[in-house]
Amino acid sequence: MIIQSLSLRNFGCLADRQIEFGPHLNVIRGPNEAGKSTLQAALLTLLFEKVTSRAGTVRGWQSWHAPEMYTLAAQFTATGEEWKLVKDFAGKQTHLTNLSTGGTWSQPDAVQEKLAELMGTASRAVYESTAAIRQQEIAKLTQGDQIGEMLQERISGSGLNVSVPGVLEKLGNALTDLWRGWERPAPKNPGLMKVAKDEIDRWQSRWDVLRSQRQEVEAAHQRLAECREELTKLEPDIKQRGQFLEKVGQRRELEAKLGRVSREWQELHERTEQVENLKEEIKQITGELDALPTGSEEQAARLKELQGSITAAPEEIDFLQHALADLKSAQQQLADINHLLRSTQDRSKWRVGLIAGGLVIAIAGGMGAIVGSPWWWLLAGAGVLLAIVGALIRPGEVAAHLSNERQQAESNLAAAEHGVELAGRIELKQEGLRRELRSEELEELRQRCDDLALERATVQAQLGSAELAHIDLDSLEEDKLRNQLEQDEARLRQLEDDRIIAQTKIERSDYDTEEELRAQEQVTEAEKRLGRRQRQAQVYELTREVLEAAYQQTLEGFTEPLEQAVQELLRPMTEGRYDLVRVDNEYLQPVVFSPQKGKEADEDGDLSTATAEQLYLAARLGLTQLLWPDEGPPLLLDDPLVNFDDQRRQATTELLRQVAQHCQILLFTCSDEFDSYADAVIELPGPSDVA
């Protein structure tokens, strides 16, 4: 990768800058605080950071007083193609464009993935630990750090300034800290795994309680809904059956009422007909009674009186019957008089008999008149007349007159007897009439009969109405329907009880949905934390195993090519003084052969500080060549030649120009002595110049 240009806006002290780079060795020169470190940070940010990052190391580079975050853009070549990269940290937009093919990438992850493919690494830490060589790292050699340890740090790519053995030791300690208290109680300082497990158990217990409460509430809600649904179906059925049975009861009552009214009407109708018949019979008998001879006007008047008093009391009827018996006795005496008249030859005897018979008849008639019947008065008058005739007329005349009177008396007697008979019949009919009327009048009976007929018709109309006409149940069906209604009503009461119980459970429950969700979330988060800790432990275990194996394999396979690369680089740096280098397999410690002493030189005592720095620089450059043998990212060199003497500085600078033919180098320095070796010199003015 060769960076051709870099554009900065609102980034640190380089608020608005456009920089052009050469393809090989580039010298970025400027005094202190000119922006050399800022430019390095801009390159690293552009190549490795996402526009969505909120890390302080990213956001901290916004220029002072700038209204918004910065924007970085670069144009570069890679894999033989032209590329353009823009990262707008203010708008959180990123674009990578292949200018040769027109391909574009806009998603931050996709952009970083493509950049990693072009640079050969996706890790900023790996890049900084290999392709970025800074003066402070070189200075560590003066503080006693071994070159081997520093190379181990760089090879591991950790950027933590520790050796691989140190990393393995830290991994072991980290695993111990993670698992503390997992198998055996650890009252003090339990490990993160145990803490996460205890947190899961605590929240799981609370979640179980809340879940049980929720299940009870849900069951109550479900039961409440079931009760309401069943009640919705059952209540109309009960109402319909109740109304139907009510109509059945109404029909039963109307049918019973119709029977009763019909019976009452029939009975009253028969009574009315009987009364009317009796009245008609009485009328007919009265007509017969009117047709009888009445004798004198006084007798006729008495007869009318008799007809008016036809409603005589029962005791009068009894007296009339006794009088009728006396009349029969008088008839017998009249027969005796007739016999006396036929047998008496003597006038005296005849007159005496006529007078005596008249008196007897008069007495009988007087006794009969006591009952108030005109017929008895007629008989008494005939007796008196007979007695007078017997006293005044001569025997011959008396006999003829007596014969006529006798005939008249017999006729009157017969009429009286018939009248008495008719009166008795009338009385009997009248008695029957009283029984039928029962202290009522015929019109009242007729009115009642009409009322009952109207009531019967009304009941029949009700029974024939559309509401009741189709109601027709026998007793078995009605009993079955009533039993079903009773069962439904019992079920209704049970459902009402269940509904009240369910409603009470819901109202009294202290279940809180948000609390359960919070407990569930806490369990989930704790499980995630435990899962992360478990994966972390697995990663630690696997990393330790792989790192141990890879470290040994890497050292074993890396030392020989590294030795050759370091020798080829160290020889021109030291002007041929040191050309034999051995790299230790276990610690990556490079050891040079000292021709002057005829043995391997000791880093601490036999090599000067500058020579040790040259050995370290050669090892780093060799390491970079091994990691990116064909095409890799630019090398960032931050004044690594400060302690070199003039000859070796020139020799090393020439070497760097040769290396830059295969890999772009950005050399940051305060001196202008490298300008003649550079393809491009980028001068950064100091703070005073900017002002």
Side-chain angles (χ1 to χ4, degrees), residues 479-649:
D479 291 341
K480 183 178 179 180
L481 187 60
R482 290 192 182 279
N483 290 335
Q484 183 63 46
L485 180 60
E486 291 176 358
Q487 293 176 5
D488 289 346
E489 289 175 342
R491 179 59 179 167
L492 180 66
R493 291 190 294 272
Q494 181 62 47
L495 289 173
E496 287 290 349
D497 292 342
D498 292 350
R499 183 186 65 80
I500 293 173
I501 292 173
Q503 187 68 40
T504 302
K505 286 183 178 180
I506 294 172
E507 292 174 353
R508 294 183 178 179
S509 175
D510 57 354
Y511 168 74
D512 187 351
T513 303
E514 294 184 358
E515 186 178 359
E516 183 189 3
L517 291 175
R518 185 165 56 254
Q520 182 180 2
E521 290 173 357
Q522 291 295 335
V523 170
T524 303
E525 290 300 322
E527 288 176 345
K528 289 180 179 179
R529 284 192 290 274
L530 179 60
R532 288 195 295 268
R533 299 307 181 191
Q534 290 174 336
R535 289 191 296 272
Q536 183 180 3
Q538 293 173 355
V539 170
Y540 284 176
E541 291 282 359
L542 181 61
T543 300
R544 185 171 62 176
E545 295 175 3
V546 172
L547 185 59
E548 287 178 343
Y551 180 65
Q552 294 300 323
Q553 293 177 1
T554 299
L555 293 182
E556 292 173 1
F558 201 70
T559 54
E560 184 175 349
L562 183 59
E563 286 177 355
Q564 183 177 356
V566 171
Q567 286 178 163
E568 293 178 355
L569 293 169
L570 184 61
R571 184 182 301 113
M573 284 185 187
T574 60
E575 299 176 302
R577 182 175 179 80
Y578 298 100
D579 59 355
L580 293 178
V581 178
R582 181 180 61 83
V583 177
D584 182 80
N585 287 334
E586 183 175 359
Y587 300 108
L588 276 186
Q589 179 67 32
V591 179
V592 297
F593 180 80
S594 174
Q596 182 178 1
K597 295 185 177 181
K599 64 174 184 177
E600 292 181 347
D602 180 74
E603 179 183 350
D604 291 334
D606 296 335
L607 295 178
S608 66
T609 299
T611 303
E613 291 179 358
Q614 294 157 13
L615 177 61
Y616 176 71
L617 178 59
R620 286 289 300 275
L621 291 174
L623 180 62
T624 303
Q625 291 178 355
L626 292 177
L627 290 176
W628 293 286
D630 297 323
E631 182 178 3
L635 297 182
L636 301 183
L637 304 182
D638 185 8
D639 252 349
L641 312 181
V642 173
N643 294 322
F644 290 18
D645 58 26
D646 293 339
Q647 291 80 6
R648 291 192 178 183
R649 185 181 303 111

Side-chain angles (χ1 to χ4, degrees), residues 29 56 148 180 196 199 269 272 379 406 468 518 521 547 621:
R29 174 168 51 81
R180 186 183 301 114
E199 189 176 8
H269 181 68
T272 303
L379 183 61
R406 185 183 59 181
L468 298 178
R518 185 165 56 254
E521 290 173 357
L547 185 59
L621 291 174

